[in-house]
Short mmCIF file of all heavy atoms in Angstrom, two decimals:
data_model
loop_
_atom_site.label_atom_id
_atom_site.label_comp_id
_atom_site.label_asym_id
_atom_site.label_seq_id
_atom_site.Cartn_x
_atom_site.Cartn_y
_atom_site.Cartn_z
N VAL A 1 131.31 34.26 84.44
CA VAL A 1 132.53 34.50 83.66
C VAL A 1 133.32 35.67 84.26
O VAL A 1 134.54 35.57 84.47
CB VAL A 1 132.17 34.79 82.18
CG1 VAL A 1 133.39 35.30 81.42
CG2 VAL A 1 131.64 33.52 81.51
N ALA A 2 132.63 36.78 84.53
CA ALA A 2 133.32 37.92 85.12
C ALA A 2 133.87 37.59 86.50
O ALA A 2 134.99 38.00 86.85
CB ALA A 2 132.36 39.12 85.21
N GLY A 3 133.11 36.81 87.28
CA GLY A 3 133.57 36.45 88.62
C GLY A 3 134.84 35.62 88.58
O GLY A 3 135.75 35.81 89.41
N VAL A 4 134.94 34.70 87.63
CA VAL A 4 136.16 33.89 87.49
C VAL A 4 137.34 34.79 87.12
O VAL A 4 138.45 34.65 87.67
CB VAL A 4 135.96 32.79 86.44
CG1 VAL A 4 137.28 32.11 86.10
CG2 VAL A 4 134.95 31.76 86.93
N VAL A 5 137.11 35.71 86.19
CA VAL A 5 138.18 36.65 85.81
C VAL A 5 138.63 37.46 87.01
O VAL A 5 139.84 37.61 87.28
CB VAL A 5 137.69 37.59 84.69
CG1 VAL A 5 138.73 38.69 84.42
CG2 VAL A 5 137.43 36.79 83.41
N PHE A 6 137.68 37.98 87.78
CA PHE A 6 138.04 38.79 88.94
C PHE A 6 138.77 37.97 89.99
O PHE A 6 139.74 38.43 90.59
CB PHE A 6 136.78 39.41 89.55
CG PHE A 6 136.06 40.37 88.65
CD1 PHE A 6 134.69 40.55 88.74
CD2 PHE A 6 136.76 41.10 87.69
CE1 PHE A 6 134.03 41.43 87.92
CE2 PHE A 6 136.10 41.99 86.85
CZ PHE A 6 134.73 42.16 86.97
N ALA A 7 138.29 36.74 90.24
CA ALA A 7 138.91 35.90 91.26
C ALA A 7 140.36 35.57 90.91
O ALA A 7 141.22 35.46 91.79
CB ALA A 7 138.10 34.61 91.43
N LEU A 8 140.63 35.44 89.61
CA LEU A 8 141.98 35.08 89.17
C LEU A 8 142.90 36.28 89.03
O LEU A 8 144.11 36.18 89.28
CB LEU A 8 141.92 34.33 87.83
CG LEU A 8 141.25 32.95 87.85
CD1 LEU A 8 141.17 32.39 86.44
CD2 LEU A 8 142.02 31.99 88.77
N LEU A 9 142.36 37.44 88.63
CA LEU A 9 143.21 38.55 88.21
C LEU A 9 143.07 39.82 89.03
O LEU A 9 143.96 40.69 88.95
CB LEU A 9 142.93 38.88 86.73
CG LEU A 9 143.16 37.75 85.73
CD1 LEU A 9 142.79 38.21 84.32
CD2 LEU A 9 144.60 37.27 85.77
N ALA A 10 142.00 39.98 89.78
CA ALA A 10 141.82 41.24 90.51
C ALA A 10 142.85 41.37 91.62
O ALA A 10 143.23 40.38 92.28
CB ALA A 10 140.41 41.30 91.10
N ASP A 11 143.33 42.60 91.83
CA ASP A 11 144.33 42.84 92.87
C ASP A 11 143.76 42.60 94.26
O ASP A 11 144.45 42.08 95.14
CB ASP A 11 144.84 44.28 92.77
CG ASP A 11 145.65 44.53 91.50
OD1 ASP A 11 146.23 43.55 90.98
OD2 ASP A 11 145.68 45.67 91.03
N GLN A 12 142.52 43.01 94.48
CA GLN A 12 141.91 42.88 95.79
C GLN A 12 140.46 42.40 95.65
O GLN A 12 139.75 42.82 94.73
CB GLN A 12 141.91 44.21 96.55
CG GLN A 12 143.27 44.61 97.10
CD GLN A 12 143.15 45.87 97.94
OE1 GLN A 12 142.64 46.88 97.50
NE2 GLN A 12 143.63 45.80 99.17
N ILE A 13 140.04 41.54 96.57
CA ILE A 13 138.65 41.10 96.67
C ILE A 13 138.27 41.07 98.15
O ILE A 13 139.03 40.55 98.98
CB ILE A 13 138.45 39.70 96.06
CG1 ILE A 13 138.78 39.71 94.56
CG2 ILE A 13 137.00 39.23 96.26
CD1 ILE A 13 138.81 38.33 93.94
N ALA A 14 137.14 41.64 98.48
CA ALA A 14 136.66 41.64 99.87
C ALA A 14 135.90 40.34 100.11
O ALA A 14 134.68 40.28 99.96
CB ALA A 14 135.79 42.86 100.13
N TRP A 15 136.60 39.30 100.49
CA TRP A 15 136.00 37.97 100.56
C TRP A 15 134.94 37.87 101.64
O TRP A 15 133.99 37.08 101.51
CB TRP A 15 137.08 36.91 100.76
CG TRP A 15 137.90 36.68 99.52
CD1 TRP A 15 139.19 37.03 99.31
CD2 TRP A 15 137.44 36.06 98.31
NE1 TRP A 15 139.58 36.66 98.05
CE2 TRP A 15 138.54 36.06 97.41
CE3 TRP A 15 136.23 35.51 97.90
CZ2 TRP A 15 138.44 35.54 96.13
CZ3 TRP A 15 136.14 34.98 96.62
CH2 TRP A 15 137.23 35.00 95.75
N THR A 16 135.07 38.64 102.71
CA THR A 16 134.01 38.64 103.73
C THR A 16 132.69 39.14 103.13
O THR A 16 131.62 38.54 103.32
CB THR A 16 134.40 39.52 104.93
OG1 THR A 16 135.60 39.00 105.51
CG2 THR A 16 133.30 39.53 105.97
N ALA A 17 132.77 40.24 102.38
CA ALA A 17 131.58 40.77 101.72
C ALA A 17 131.05 39.79 100.69
O ALA A 17 129.83 39.61 100.55
CB ALA A 17 131.90 42.11 101.06
N VAL A 18 131.94 39.13 99.95
CA VAL A 18 131.53 38.13 98.96
C VAL A 18 130.71 37.03 99.63
O VAL A 18 129.64 36.64 99.15
CB VAL A 18 132.76 37.52 98.26
CG1 VAL A 18 132.36 36.29 97.45
CG2 VAL A 18 133.43 38.55 97.36
N LEU A 19 131.21 36.52 100.76
CA LEU A 19 130.53 35.43 101.45
C LEU A 19 129.16 35.87 101.96
O LEU A 19 128.15 35.14 101.82
CB LEU A 19 131.38 34.94 102.61
CG LEU A 19 130.79 33.80 103.47
CD1 LEU A 19 130.53 32.57 102.61
CD2 LEU A 19 131.72 33.47 104.62
N LEU A 20 129.09 37.05 102.55
CA LEU A 20 127.82 37.55 103.09
C LEU A 20 126.79 37.75 101.98
O LEU A 20 125.61 37.37 102.12
CB LEU A 20 128.04 38.86 103.83
CG LEU A 20 128.84 38.75 105.14
CD1 LEU A 20 129.23 40.14 105.63
CD2 LEU A 20 128.02 38.02 106.21
N ILE A 21 127.21 38.35 100.87
CA ILE A 21 126.29 38.55 99.74
C ILE A 21 125.87 37.21 99.16
O ILE A 21 124.70 37.01 98.81
CB ILE A 21 126.95 39.44 98.67
CG1 ILE A 21 127.12 40.87 99.19
CG2 ILE A 21 126.13 39.44 97.38
CD1 ILE A 21 127.90 41.77 98.26
N ALA A 22 126.82 36.28 99.05
CA ALA A 22 126.51 34.98 98.46
C ALA A 22 125.45 34.24 99.26
O ALA A 22 124.51 33.66 98.69
CB ALA A 22 127.78 34.14 98.37
N VAL A 23 125.58 34.24 100.58
CA VAL A 23 124.61 33.55 101.43
C VAL A 23 123.23 34.20 101.28
O VAL A 23 122.22 33.53 101.07
CB VAL A 23 125.06 33.56 102.91
CG1 VAL A 23 123.95 33.04 103.81
CG2 VAL A 23 126.32 32.72 103.08
N GLY A 24 123.21 35.52 101.39
CA GLY A 24 121.94 36.23 101.27
C GLY A 24 121.32 36.06 99.89
O GLY A 24 120.11 35.81 99.76
N ALA A 25 122.14 36.18 98.84
CA ALA A 25 121.62 36.11 97.48
C ALA A 25 121.11 34.72 97.12
O ALA A 25 120.17 34.59 96.32
CB ALA A 25 122.71 36.54 96.48
N THR A 26 121.71 33.68 97.69
CA THR A 26 121.24 32.32 97.42
C THR A 26 119.82 32.13 97.93
O THR A 26 118.94 31.59 97.23
CB THR A 26 122.18 31.28 98.07
OG1 THR A 26 123.50 31.46 97.54
CG2 THR A 26 121.71 29.87 97.78
N VAL A 27 119.58 32.58 99.16
CA VAL A 27 118.22 32.51 99.71
C VAL A 27 117.28 33.41 98.90
O VAL A 27 116.17 33.02 98.53
CB VAL A 27 118.22 32.93 101.19
CG1 VAL A 27 116.80 32.93 101.75
CG2 VAL A 27 119.11 32.00 102.00
N GLY A 28 117.75 34.62 98.61
CA GLY A 28 116.92 35.57 97.86
C GLY A 28 116.59 35.09 96.46
O GLY A 28 115.49 35.34 95.96
N GLY A 29 117.54 34.42 95.81
CA GLY A 29 117.29 33.92 94.46
C GLY A 29 116.16 32.92 94.42
O GLY A 29 115.32 32.95 93.51
N ARG A 30 116.10 32.02 95.40
CA ARG A 30 115.01 31.05 95.45
C ARG A 30 113.68 31.75 95.77
O ARG A 30 112.64 31.44 95.17
CB ARG A 30 115.28 29.97 96.50
CG ARG A 30 116.43 29.04 96.16
CD ARG A 30 116.22 28.32 94.83
NE ARG A 30 114.94 27.62 94.76
CZ ARG A 30 114.73 26.39 95.19
NH1 ARG A 30 115.71 25.72 95.76
NH2 ARG A 30 113.54 25.83 95.05
N LEU A 31 113.72 32.71 96.69
CA LEU A 31 112.50 33.43 97.04
C LEU A 31 111.99 34.26 95.86
O LEU A 31 110.80 34.30 95.59
CB LEU A 31 112.75 34.34 98.25
CG LEU A 31 112.99 33.65 99.59
CD1 LEU A 31 113.36 34.68 100.65
CD2 LEU A 31 111.76 32.85 100.01
N GLY A 32 112.92 34.93 95.17
CA GLY A 32 112.52 35.76 94.04
C GLY A 32 111.88 34.96 92.93
O GLY A 32 110.89 35.38 92.32
N ALA A 33 112.46 33.79 92.64
CA ALA A 33 111.88 32.94 91.60
C ALA A 33 110.48 32.45 92.00
O ALA A 33 109.59 32.34 91.15
CB ALA A 33 112.80 31.74 91.34
N ALA A 34 110.29 32.19 93.29
CA ALA A 34 109.00 31.68 93.75
C ALA A 34 107.94 32.76 93.83
O ALA A 34 106.76 32.51 93.59
CB ALA A 34 109.17 31.01 95.12
#
């Protein structure tokens, strides 16, 4: 919910950082659950 608000309304977003964190966090999320 917060991410949608930020994507629509925030003045600036560091999309390169978003992509890097997203890739890492997706792998990490599966590892953490396991």
Side-chain angles (χ1 to χ4, degrees):
V1 169
V4 170
V5 172
F6 296 150
L8 294 175
L9 301 178
D11 293 333
Q12 286 185 306
I13 298 171
W15 287 109
T16 300
V18 168
L19 179 60
L20 291 169
I21 292 173
V23 171
T26 301
V27 177
R30 292 302 307 273
L31 291 174

